Amino acid sequence: MKWRNLALPAAPLALVVLAATGCTSTPDDARAEPTDAPSASKAPTTSMARVCAKPAAGPAKAPKGAVTVDPGVVGDLAEKTKSSPAGTTFWLRPGKHRLDPDRYAQVMTKKGNRYIGAPGAVLDGGKKNNYAFSGSARDVTIRHLTVQRFVAPPDEGVVNHDMADGWVIEHAKIQDNSGAGLMAGARQKVRASCLRDNGQYGMNAYKTGDSIRGLVVEGNEIVGNNTGDWERKRPGCGCTGGIKFWAVNGAEIRGNWVHDNRGVGLWADNNNNDFRIEGNLLEANDGAALMYETSYNAVIRDNTIRRNNWVEGRRSAERDDPFPYATVYVSESGGEPRIKARTDKIEIYRNVLEDNWNGITLWENADRFCNSPANTSTGYCTLLVKDTKSCAKPEITKAPLYADCRWKTQRVDIHDNRFLLDPSVVKCKTECGRMAVLSNYGTYPKWSPYKGKRVSDAITHKQHNRWHDNTYRGPWSFVAENTDQKLDSGQWQDTPYRQDTGSTYAPRSGG
């Protein structure tokens, strides 16, 4: 999915695990030891477990009634799954388990199967097998198991390859695989697991038919993904991230440590709705910590977001690109009361953003709308329009399609956050502390009803996007309407923008 179009931009080993997961291990291989986070309500601190260093150990003995799987027998797991009834529990002995040395050898799961690893149990694809666990069976559980060195093709996944519903993945390590470590289905729960060093995504939350509902991602470490550097191989592909979410309706993303991913940390792209992203530590990702793109209705709160976007932000500055590439990037996304969710806006509050390259950018591409050639979500329309082809002249020039054919950045409420910036930490020689609400000048296609300044005027003044009651420390500046309109805090607060009422500013970071 492209996220760059015209002027459009787009920590160390697993940190946080909620107390309910029971993981309290300390790291032995952490990449970037986290320091104390500034306090901000419930924003996470360093008193959280690092999952990748030492996940909670599985049972040393086979659970009652479980089928024992022997690492010394190649293909034993797949064969015993095939010969056992649905609902069987399998206990994998300590050691390295292998599938048959065939590209398509895989475990074809059955409904309700449970795969439990003993301490030291590893399912290893040997860089030969494409997939580990597949099939359409529902309610499969994988616990206390390392899954590694599988070679899924691009955009495909190793675990839950066929996007089955109701899977539970807990206390697992899914690492060093090509493609995505994990796919997703409806009602899937991923908890207290390590998604590390996978070639494209830690998890690709996409399901054929766009039917993912009720996704939970809780207490995981998501680190070092996109080792294949896919944006370099396919410039502008938008095909990477620690986790990528596509058309997910209802998601809880909480208590995760998302860090050191090559590119974006968490990326919700295309018709996602009703997300709660809270209590996460997002740090040291090469690009944005969080992108919410062509999507709807979200709560983003109590997160600590630090040292993100240093690579991609610096790269844009070196090429003299004036776009305010953001650490939290809201692109053609907003609150929409007509779409059922737990909120009717995008609310960003009680977060700490510290020493990132830029802050929050609200962007809307004037040329990107349903049925436009500039819409990189090819074939998709907004959730308000059923017939994509209806977004064309003459109908699109009139209500309701004039409004409903656009993914609009609207009803975004940014408040009670702490924005801290020390340029000596970020080492930015150019401006790296920008907040922005803007669009481009509409030009395309010829039949577009959104040409000129229509969209830039709307996103800035008419779509109820509001900053207020925030705290700023450091040299922050502001961009409104377009990249040429640069403002200081006084201009930002004054007419006609009237942003950040009740906010406080100090020229130096700290406190």
Side-chain angles (χ1 to χ4, degrees):
M1 192 75 249
K2 284 187 179 178
W3 64 284
R4 209 182 139 73
N5 186 26
L6 301 178
L8 180 69
L13 294 162
L15 174 71
V16 288
V17 178
L18 302 182
T21 67
C23 288
T24 57
S25 58
T26 55
D28 54 18
D29 61 348
R31 302 182 187 198
E33 187 77 24
T35 56
D36 289 339
S39 62
S41 184
K42 299 177 183 178
T45 67
T46 57
S47 60
M48 302 176 179
R50 292 132 169 102
V51 182
C52 291
K54 191 178 180 182
K61 294 182 180 180
K64 185 177 180 180
V67 172
T68 298
V69 182
D70 188 348
V73 180
V74 173
D76 195 39
L77 179 60
E79 185 56 39
K80 285 180 175 174
T81 297
K82 182 178 180 181
S83 61
S84 300
T88 298
T89 296
F90 300 89
W91 179 69
L92 285 74
R93 291 183 182 275
K96 187 175 290 186
H97 297 255
R98 293 286 182 89
L99 302 174
D100 289 334
D102 178 83
R103 179 178 178 182
Y104 296 109
Q106 55 198 288
V107 179
M108 297 303 298
T109 59
K110 296 178 181 178
K111 183 179 179 181
N113 281 2
R114 300 171 73 241
Y115 298 89
I116 313 298
V122 177
L123 180 60
D124 194 305
K127 297 296 183 182
K128 295 179 180 179
N129 309 119
N130 282 7
Y131 318 117
F133 293 96
S134 301
S136 59
R138 295 187 174 195
D139 304 326
V140 170
T141 296
I142 298 170
R143 287 195 178 103
H144 303 294
L145 184 63
T146 295
V147 180
Q148 65 184 31
R149 303 203 314 141
F150 286 80
V151 285
D155 299 321
E156 297 186 38
V158 169
V159 174
N160 196 10
H161 169 258
D162 296 305
M163 303 159 282
D165 295 339
W167 282 40
V168 175
I169 296 92
E170 292 181 327
H171 306 294
K173 275 188 178 182
I174 303 174
Q175 62 185 15
D176 300 319
N177 302 288
S178 300
L182 177 64
M183 299 299 287
R187 299 177 290 101
Q188 181 160 296
K189 295 177 175 61
V190 185
R191 292 183 173 133
S193 293
C194 171
L195 309 181
R196 174 169 66 178
D197 293 340
N198 296 289
Q200 190 176 7
Y201 306 102
M203 180 169 72
N204 184 11
Y206 163 81
K207 181 178 172 69
T208 304
D210 299 338
S211 59
I212 297 179
R213 305 288 186 273
L215 178 66
V216 175
V217 182
E218 179 178 30
N220 304 285
E221 183 171 4
I222 302 153
V223 53
N225 296 290
N226 186 27
T227 60
D229 198 6
W230 281 93
E231 294 290 342
R232 179 182 56 81
K233 294 178 181 179
R234 299 179 182 174
C237 72
C239 58
T240 58
I243 298 181
K244 187 78 174 283
F245 305 90
W246 182 274
V248 174
N249 191 357
E252 301 285 343
I253 317 298
R254 59 182 174 241
N256 302 285
W257 188 14
V258 184
H259 65 98
D260 293 288
N261 294 284
R262 177 177 279 172
V264 179
L266 300 175
W267 189 346
D269 184 5
N270 191 63
N271 284 347
N272 297 281
N273 176 51
D274 197 13
F275 271 49
R276 283 187 178 173
I277 302 170
E278 57 187 344
N280 302 284
L281 174 56
L282 311 175
E283 67 179 335
N285 297 288
D286 284 2
L290 170 63
M291 290 181 60
Y292 207 71
E293 180 178 1
T294 55
S295 294
Y296 303 89
N297 301 326
V299 172
I300 302 166
R301 65 187 175 194
D302 298 324
N303 302 286
T304 295
I305 302 170
R306 62 190 178 196
R307 301 194 302 273
N308 295 281
N309 203 28
W310 287 14
V311 174
E312 294 188 5
R314 199 179 315 278
R315 186 181 298 151
S316 69
E318 289 173 350
R319 63 174 182 256
D320 296 322
D321 188 337
F323 193 91
Y325 288 82
T327 286
V328 175
Y329 180 40
V330 179
S331 175
E332 293 95 13
S333 295
E336 177 49 72
R338 290 174 290 174
I339 297 173
K340 185 178 179 180
R342 291 165 291 180
T343 181
D344 61 2
K345 57 187 175 180
I346 293 180
E347 190 170 14
I348 304 173
Y349 68 103
R350 294 199 312 245
N351 303 285
V352 174
L353 283 80
E354 180 184 18
D355 291 335
N356 301 285
W357 194 289
N358 292 329
I360 299 174
T361 290
L362 307 186
W363 161 261
E364 191 173 329
N365 182 349
D367 300 329
R368 185 180 187 183
F369 53 92
C370 177
N371 205 33
S372 167
N375 175 29
T376 52
S377 301
T378 306
Y380 278 85
C381 199
T382 69
L383 293 180
L384 299 171
V385 178
K386 293 183 178 180
D387 181 9
T388 300
K389 293 182 180 179
S390 67
C391 292
K393 273 194 169 183
E395 290 84 357
I396 196 173
T397 63
K398 305 172 185 177
L401 292 180
Y402 179 82
D404 291 353
C405 288
R406 293 197 64 81
W407 288 273
K408 291 192 289 186
T409 302
Q410 64 179 8
R411 299 172 62 85
V412 182
D413 190 3
I414 302 168
H415 65 92
D416 293 289
N417 302 284
R418 291 165 58 81
F419 300 113
L420 313 177
L421 176 63
D422 184 345
S424 69
V425 173
V426 182
K427 294 182 172 59
C428 50
K429 297 179 180 179
T430 185
E431 193 171 27
C432 62
R434 290 176 290 176
M435 224 44 86
V437 53
L438 76 166
S439 178
N440 56 315
Y441 191 88
T443 62
Y444 181 78
K446 288 184 178 180
W447 52 271
S448 170
Y450 312 110
K451 289 183 178 179
K453 298 180 180 180
R454 290 178 176 86
V455 176
S456 63
D457 181 59
I459 188 176
T460 307
H461 301 291
K462 300 176 182 178
Q463 292 179 181
H464 308 288
N465 297 313
R466 184 173 177 237
W467 279 256
H468 62 98
D469 298 298
N470 298 295
T471 298
Y472 292 87
R473 297 291 183 268
W476 289 93
S477 63
F478 305 87
V479 179
E481 298 187 54
N482 58 69
T483 55
D484 294 330
Q485 195 78 2
K486 299 177 182 179
L487 313 170
D488 61 27
S489 60
Q491 294 169 314
W492 177 244
Q493 289 185 301
D494 203 355
T495 306
Y497 306 107
R498 297 193 177 279
Q499 292 291 359
D500 266 315
T501 300
S503 297
T504 61
Y505 300 83
R508 302 184 66 176
S509 180

